[in-house]
Amino acid sequence: MQTRCDEAQSKLQATNESCKHLLDRAEGLRAQRQATAARQSIISLFLSRFTLTEEETQAVASRDVPVGPQVFAAMDRIEKIRTDCRVLMSGEEGETKAGLDIMSLTASLLDQAYHKLARWTSFEFRQMGKDASLDVAPLMQEAVLRLRQRPELLNDSLKILTEVRQATLLSSFLEALTRGGPGGLPRPIELHAHDPTRYVGDMLAWVHQAMAGEREFLESLFGIKGDNRMVGSVRKTTGTEEEEYVAKLMDGDLEKLSMPLRVRVLQTVKSQEGSIISYKIANLLQFYLLTVSRTIGEEALLSKTLKDITDAAYQVFFDTIDAQGRSLLRFLHPPDSDLSPPLALRDSSQVLREIMAVYDSSLLGDEDPTEREAAFAQILEAAVDPAMEMCKRMSELREGMPTWDKALFLVNCTTYMQNMLQAYSFTSAHVALLQKEVDRNIRTLVTEHSAFFLKESGLEPIVQAMDSKPED
């Protein structure tokens, strides 16, 4: 019995020794399992924070996923990963291989995303640029906003938009000139070529309307809010990147309109022989030049074209005025017996009156009075000075005409011109100059007339004696 108990005891001890080894091994495996589970959790958390899901990767890289909120969300996710990775690499351990790999991979994915956006915007620009009037979808606004992070890609897409808009606006302009609107209404602009003022005005109005529509489209494309600016007022530029893009695109989109506009307007301007029509066209061009320059800037090609056309129109107008002035001095005749202003003076004054009416109607009312006078001074000199010179030469043509009759004739002519100019405030400086001429001729009239009566009445020797008598 004792022996068996000892054998059982020995087996029991051996079994305990064997089980203890197994238990120790099981405990070690359990601890290793817990450590592995913790490591797996950390790795999963790390991967979830620093890697994209399969759907996000497909949204960025695959052509099957259209550009939309899914693509934008994936791009935002990539940017968040890169920001977190930079924070991670700025720690004590510095740059790690994992961090560098993540930055490299996300940079590649982000580059694919931007190229995908660029291809999509280029395609959309080709399609939407063919319409005369455009509406910009929020999706396009978002795409353009994101592409501004890659200016080289955005510029390539905008170059395509500019080329398409140039062709579209040019085609629309030529169609408006020759075919008119849908169903023939409005009528083709070319039908009014016989009416120079309306013809030029219709072309400029079409260009201005196209410019306003293009500005509205580009502001919507870049998300610029309207500034409630009055039409024709100076546009206040903030110098932002969006404004620079819009200004550059406006210049490019309207570039092709310059040549057909220049050819037609110059042809119309140079064919005019009357000063009134020439001035109406020049004044109309000046108005649109001011409006366009305030909208797209003075350095834009369209603004420079309008500046050249306006200068040419004013040159034609002044050439016409000069020709009329020379014609006044070419055919002279003695004054009428009643010393009234000659017919040529009245005709030239009527022309000047209509020109002043056109100029007065073009004023906005907020100009400085000095500037108003200065802007019209050259026209007054070109129109008034030859007319006054004509009157002076006419006063010398009648033989035996008394000096006071000459002075009276000049007073009548000068006051006629003066009364006509006084109707407008911007002629006050020239009215003052004419008044000096009136005063000078009145003094001559009084002096000569008094001398004549003294001589005829026999009082001249007495007056001379009184004047020469020394004072006591």
Side-chain angles (χ1 to χ4, degrees):
M1 179 67 75
Q2 184 64 36
T3 301
R4 289 186 177 276
C5 286
D6 292 339
E7 290 177 356
Q9 184 67 29
S10 299
K11 289 181 179 180
L12 183 58
Q13 290 178 352
T15 302
N16 287 335
E17 290 293 334
S18 177
C19 289
K20 181 179 180 182
H21 176 71
L22 291 174
L23 291 174
D24 290 342
R25 182 170 179 79
E27 185 64 27
L29 291 174
R30 186 181 298 110
Q32 186 177 358
R33 179 182 178 183
Q34 291 177 348
T36 301
R39 182 176 296 179
Q40 183 180 4
S41 176
I42 293 173
I43 292 174
S44 298
L45 181 62
F46 181 86
L47 292 176
S48 65
R49 185 169 182 178
F50 290 97
T51 60
L52 297 177
T53 64
E54 181 64 24
E55 290 79 8
E56 291 172 334
T57 304
Q58 289 295 318
V60 169
S62 176
R63 292 177 177 269
D64 297 332
V65 180
V67 172
Q70 187 177 357
V71 176
F72 298 147
M75 293 179 69
D76 292 337
R77 173 75 175 138
I78 294 174
E79 292 288 359
K80 181 66 168 56
I81 290 174
R82 292 177 64 80
T83 301
D84 293 343
C85 191
R86 292 189 188 97
V87 175
L88 179 65
M89 292 192 297
S90 64
E92 296 180 357
E93 296 183 2
E95 296 181 353
T96 62
K97 185 177 185 303
L100 293 175
D101 290 343
I102 292 173
M103 292 298 289
S104 176
L105 177 61
T106 52
S108 176
L109 290 172
L110 196 58
D111 192 58
Q112 292 181 52
Y114 279 118
H115 278 83
K116 182 175 182 176
L117 281 185
R119 290 192 299 270
W120 179 79
T121 52
S122 297
F123 175 79
E124 290 297 319
F125 283 158
R126 287 190 182 94
Q127 302 304 313
M128 67 187 302
K130 297 177 182 178
D131 298 329
S133 59
L134 301 173
D135 293 324
V136 181
L139 190 64
M140 176 59 71
Q141 290 180 337
E142 182 68 19
V144 171
L145 178 63
R146 291 176 181 271
L147 279 177
R148 286 169 55 188
Q149 303 299 320
R150 299 292 177 90
E152 65 282 357
L153 296 178
L154 178 59
N155 288 333
D156 290 341
S157 298
L158 293 178
K159 184 179 180 180
I160 294 174
L161 176 63
T162 299
E163 293 174 353
V164 175
R165 293 303 298 163
Q166 282 180 351
T168 301
L169 290 175
L170 177 59
S171 176
S172 299
F173 183 47
L174 295 178
E175 185 172 349
L177 288 170
T178 57
R179 298 181 58 185
L185 294 175
R187 301 177 67 187
I189 298 176
E190 296 283 4
L191 290 180
H192 305 295
H194 63 281
D195 184 351
T197 306
R198 179 174 180 180
Y199 179 49
V200 174
D202 286 351
M203 286 191 290
L204 293 173
W206 191 97
V207 171
H208 179 259
Q209 184 178 4
M211 178 187 66
E214 204 67 15
R215 177 84 194 190
E216 183 179 354
F217 160 63
L218 293 174
E219 286 182 346
S220 177
L221 184 64
F222 286 93
I224 301 176
K225 295 182 179 179
D227 53 2
N228 296 323
R229 184 181 67 94
M230 294 295 292
V231 176
S233 61
V234 179
R235 182 176 293 277
K236 298 179 180 179
T237 57
T238 57
T240 59
E241 186 180 22
E242 296 91 338
E243 287 285 353
E244 293 177 0
Y245 273 118
V246 170
K248 182 179 179 181
L249 290 171
M250 284 284 292
D251 188 13
D253 293 354
L254 300 172
E255 178 180 334
K256 292 295 182 68
L257 298 179
S258 299
M259 183 55 67
L261 181 66
R262 175 195 291 271
V263 171
R264 286 166 173 79
V265 174
L266 285 181
Q267 183 179 11
T268 303
V269 167
K270 293 180 180 180
S271 64
Q272 301 308 309
E273 297 180 356
S275 57
I276 297 175
I277 298 298
S278 298
Y279 183 71
K280 285 183 178 180
I281 295 176
N283 195 62
L284 186 65
L285 286 166
Q286 180 69 36
F287 169 76
Y288 277 100
L289 170 61
L290 181 64
T291 304
V292 171
S293 299
R294 288 175 173 180
T295 302
I296 62 178
E298 296 180 355
E299 296 302 318
L301 180 60
L302 182 60
S303 297
K304 292 180 179 179
T305 300
L306 284 175
K307 178 67 167 59
D308 294 341
I309 297 174
T310 303
D311 292 343
Y314 273 110
Q315 185 60 50
V316 170
F317 165 68
F318 281 111
D319 290 344
T320 305
I321 288 291
D322 292 340
Q324 291 178 355
R326 291 192 298 269
S327 67
L328 289 176
L329 301 176
R330 188 178 300 119
F331 305 103
L332 300 177
H333 58 83
D336 295 334
S337 58
D338 59 357
L339 303 180
S340 62
L343 179 62
L345 177 64
R346 296 197 295 270
D347 290 342
S348 63
S349 299
Q350 181 61 32
V351 172
L352 180 58
R353 181 183 288 109
E354 293 191 32
I355 292 174
M356 290 192 298
V358 173
Y359 178 74
D360 184 64
S361 64
S362 67
L363 297 175
L364 300 177
D366 57 351
E367 299 88 355
D368 182 76
T370 304
E371 294 179 357
R372 289 203 300 265
E373 290 193 21
F376 201 72
Q378 185 179 0
I379 299 176
L380 283 177
E381 292 176 2
V384 175
D385 292 354
M388 293 295 98
E389 180 64 24
M390 175 195 69
C391 295
K392 291 179 182 178
R393 295 188 184 184
M394 289 178 62
S395 66
E396 303 294 336
L397 293 179
R398 174 174 290 182
E399 297 181 359
M401 185 177 183
T403 304
W404 63 77
D405 280 354
K406 296 179 181 179
L408 181 58
F409 173 71
L410 292 177
V411 168
N412 292 338
C413 294
T414 307
T415 53
Y416 180 86
M417 180 67 72
Q418 191 180 39
N419 292 334
M420 190 266 298
L421 295 180
Q422 285 177 339
Y424 300 96
S425 61
F426 51 82
T427 63
S428 57
H430 221 83
V431 169
L433 292 177
L434 292 177
Q435 185 59 45
K436 292 180 179 180
E437 288 294 318
V438 171
D439 294 340
R440 184 180 63 82
N441 286 302
I442 288 178
R443 286 194 299 270
T444 301
L445 173 63
V446 171
T447 301
E448 293 295 327
H449 224 74
S450 61
F452 172 78
F453 279 116
L454 287 174
K455 184 178 180 180
E456 290 296 320
S457 62
L459 296 175
E460 182 179 10
I462 300 174
V463 173
Q464 290 178 351
M466 294 176 61
D467 291 338
S468 61
K469 182 179 179 182
E471 296 182 3
D472 296 334

